[in-house]
Amino acid sequence: MRSKRYVAGAGAAVALAALVAGGSTAGAVVPALTGVPTANPKSPGVTSPDVLSPELVKLTVAQGSMRLENGTPAVPYYGYDGNGPLVPLPGAPTVEATKTEPDKNTYLVLGGQHGVDPTYDYGTHFLFQGHENGSPGYITRVNLDADTAHRVTLMATTDTTGANLPPIDGSTWDPFAQRLVFTAEKGSAGGTFQATLNVPSTVESLAGSLGKGGYEGIQNDSAGNLWIVEDVGGPSDATGAKKPNSFVYRFVPQDRADLTKGRLQALQLDSRLRPGQPFAADTFSPDEGDLHTYGSKFTTRWVTLHDTATEGTVGFDANALAKAKGATPFKRPENGMFRPNTGFREFYFDETGDTNLNSAANAGFGGFGSLLRLTQDRPPADTGQLTMVYAGDQAHTGFDNMTFLGATDLAVVEDAGDTLHTQRNALDSGYLFDVNKSYAGGNQPLRFLAQGRDPSATIDSAIRDILPAVPFANDGDNEITGLHTSDGNPGPGGILGARPPVRPFTPLSAWRTFYTGQHGDNVTSQLLTDPNRRG
């Protein structure tokens, strides 16, 4: 007997269909969005909703308190471990279940997928994510066509050796290897894992080929290479200025259908100020200042760190090798994305920066982070050119997840953190950049999302403020993560960057946009055009 299925956004789709038929601009392209004037303030004890561009609404597709259809005592919920109550009880303000923080989303449209209920039709639309916090780490699948009882499936908590998975940050789908690929931002204990689509999923460490590092963002190119950006904070001075300590990597497989063999490379810049010399990356080096100056153009090359053909498949520390072989470190790059319709010749990545208003590096040395563009003649090219697209400032900093919403429209969201939220009295925002536009003259991106703070995050923030010295498992303010736009195509044509999204907020479109309000209630939402708004 077929179980009844719930189609995410179906009601909105019906409502919008009449508007589209009548010539409404409600599903118009991205530049039609109206900016949100200000960020939400951080007010002690006050909750606030997310504020979106008025053309948009959001639909909840999963939230932290949703029970997994096949949960365990250790992992019973989408966003909570089983080690305590979901909110503190009277008399025990710091006793609370660990919030697992579902992170980067990967959307796929797939046939023939099954779950733990052999009689249930799980549909064809799925959203995959790893979880950034808690123990064990785990992987989930949100079944977008399913009812509440079958909405979220636990895919794996261990790898093929039986070891618990680490907390997971980044994710992507590799159409050549036919594997989900996840990253763990755990330094020398982190790395990359490949996972099958079945339930339970078979998860295998790729430490022998891609190494171990504080990996976060990960993307394919059309040649089958994997591009990885690393988030490892360097040592800081008394002001909070951090030394660049993270690298951009490219993995070139011997066979693009097999991720266990190949070459791991790291990006290296030449100095412009000292011709013929490598880039000198240090907190306040002239080269670091030059990198964060509009108009500077740097020659780049890929430096091979490890080749399984000659060095075998024993796990290795990628960050240490990158330093030893002269690759160029950056100030906490977290995510990257290929620009659509460029043949994977333009790769954009961001730097989170120091996330501290006291940092002496904020003015001119990348303390507020940046948005950078790497261009190459073709994806496998050994050389290229790096330029800065945008230098962050107090109101636009802590950049993290990103996604292209159109051919030139790049959405980037903040993860500024509780300290900076307090310093500037502003929670995180999401911004829309036109990558063809110059920001050198003071132009600013459009704010399409001012994140609020849900009740659970407000409680956690208060606990951290009132009892700063008491051990507590959870972060305070919400963070925007998992920003992801895709049509779910699982073939090579569906690699992010192969084609520009088409009306990604319109329910009638194949393209969907998701994001997660990490921490607190851990709500994952789909962004949709407001069917009640007539343009």
Side-chain angles (χ1 to χ4, degrees):
M1 179 178 178
R2 288 174 62 87
S3 299
K4 183 178 180 181
R5 291 190 291 143
Y6 168 76
V7 180
V14 171
L16 188 65
L19 297 180
V20 173
S24 169
T25 60
V29 293
V30 172
L33 293 180
T34 303
V36 178
T38 62
N40 269 313
K42 176 173 178 171
S43 302
V46 177
T47 65
S48 55
D50 290 357
V51 180
L52 296 164
S53 291
E55 295 80 11
L56 300 176
V57 294
K58 64 177 185 175
L59 171 74
T60 296
V61 299
Q63 63 185 54
S65 57
M66 191 171 284
R67 284 192 175 273
L68 302 174
E69 66 163 346
N70 56 337
T72 69
V75 183
Y77 300 100
Y78 174 64
Y80 294 87
D81 280 345
N83 57 353
L86 304 194
V87 293
L89 299 176
T94 61
V95 178
E96 185 179 63
T98 300
K99 294 171 181 178
T100 64
E101 303 179 9
D103 206 339
K104 190 70 171 68
N105 293 302
T106 293
Y107 171 60
L108 293 173
V109 178
L110 302 163
Q113 299 303 299
H114 303 283
V116 295
D117 184 346
T119 69
Y120 190 76
D121 178 1
Y122 285 84
T124 57
H125 301 86
F126 303 96
L127 195 65
F128 299 87
Q129 56 282 124
H131 293 248
E132 191 180 4
N133 194 30
S135 181
Y138 60 96
I139 298 166
T140 49
R141 184 187 75 192
V142 178
N143 309 308
L144 296 168
D145 298 330
D147 59 20
T148 301
H150 300 86
R151 175 49 70 101
V152 188
T153 302
L154 177 63
M155 294 188 68
T157 60
T158 60
D159 65 18
T160 52
T161 71
N164 284 342
L165 293 178
I168 300 293
D169 293 87
S171 68
T172 195
W173 167 251
D174 189 318
F176 306 109
Q178 290 287 292
R179 292 291 187 272
L180 293 161
V181 185
F182 295 94
T183 59
E185 184 196 342
K186 297 289 288 182
S188 59
T192 312
F193 297 81
Q194 62 177 356
T196 59
L197 289 170
N198 55 295
V199 178
S201 176
T202 300
V203 184
E204 179 183 7
S205 170
L206 294 171
S209 53
L210 280 77
K212 300 177 181 180
Y215 296 158
E216 185 159 351
I218 185 164
Q219 298 295 331
N220 274 100
D221 65 25
S222 56
N225 304 316
L226 284 170
W227 295 53
I228 310 168
V229 293
E230 182 181 43
D231 178 14
V232 179
S236 60
D237 64 19
T239 72
K242 297 178 181 179
K243 184 175 181 177
N245 194 52
S246 307
F247 298 89
V248 176
Y249 301 89
R250 182 178 70 178
F251 177 68
V252 182
Q254 288 182 17
D255 176 353
R256 62 185 186 176
D258 179 6
L259 299 178
T260 64
K261 298 182 178 65
R263 291 176 288 131
L264 183 70
Q265 303 174 317
L267 193 67
Q268 182 188 67
L269 275 60
D270 287 337
S271 172
R272 285 189 339 113
L273 303 177
R274 298 171 299 112
Q277 299 295 314
F279 186 99
D282 206 348
T283 310
F284 299 104
S285 72
D287 282 342
E288 195 66 24
D290 195 26
L291 174 63
H292 296 98
T293 300
Y294 285 108
S296 297
K297 298 180 180 180
F298 296 87
T299 300
T300 67
R301 65 181 54 81
W302 292 101
V303 178
T304 295
L305 309 181
H306 185 275
D307 189 343
T308 59
T310 56
E311 299 169 271
T313 56
V314 176
F316 58 93
D317 186 329
N319 186 279
L321 277 180
K323 290 174 180 173
K325 299 203 175 184
T328 301
F330 296 90
K331 290 181 75 73
R332 295 183 58 205
E334 295 205 48
N335 277 278
M337 195 69 56
F338 287 98
R339 177 183 170 184
N341 281 356
T342 64
F344 295 90
R345 294 189 296 269
E346 286 188 21
F347 183 71
Y348 293 77
F349 65 95
D350 54 29
E351 292 180 302
T352 296
D354 296 336
T355 60
N356 190 329
L357 287 190
N358 297 324
S359 170
N362 287 339
F365 292 92
F368 280 132
S370 69
L371 179 61
L372 300 165
R373 172 171 49 221
L374 174 63
T375 58
Q376 299 186 168
D377 290 339
R378 56 195 181 93
D382 291 326
T383 60
Q385 187 178 81
L386 185 75
T387 57
M388 186 180 69
V389 176
Y390 181 80
D393 57 29
Q394 178 175 325
H396 313 81
T397 186
F399 294 153
D400 193 337
N401 278 214
M402 61 171 64
T403 190
F404 270 95
L405 297 174
T408 64
D409 300 294
L410 178 60
V412 182
V413 297
E414 294 180 309
D415 173 18
D418 286 21
T419 296
L420 186 53
H421 293 165
T422 300
Q423 290 173 330
R424 68 181 186 180
N425 190 29
L427 301 175
D428 290 335
S429 290
Y431 297 103
L432 191 62
F433 292 87
D434 180 348
V435 298
N436 280 342
K437 184 177 181 178
S438 172
Y439 292 92
N443 291 321
Q444 296 295 347
L446 178 147
R447 179 187 285 109
F448 70 92
L449 165 61
Q451 188 176 45
R453 190 171 60 185
D454 64 42
S456 294
T458 304
I459 292 170
D460 292 347
S461 179
I463 291 170
R464 287 194 167 275
D465 289 342
I466 296 169
L467 302 170
V470 178
F472 184 58
N474 297 314
D475 286 313
D477 302 333
N478 292 118
E479 169 193 335
I480 311 170
T481 192
L483 185 67
H484 176 72
T485 301
S486 170
D487 66 351
N489 180 348
I495 297 174
L496 300 182
R499 294 169 293 121
V502 178
R503 300 182 184 273
F505 305 134
T506 305
L508 300 180
S509 171
W511 294 84
R512 297 189 181 188
T513 298
F514 302 91
Y515 78 98
T516 297
Q518 204 179 49
H519 311 151
D521 292 335
N522 284 307
V523 176
T524 296
S525 303
Q526 181 180 348
L527 287 176
L528 297 165
T529 306
D530 186 349
N532 297 310
R533 181 181 175 88
R534 295 180 179 273

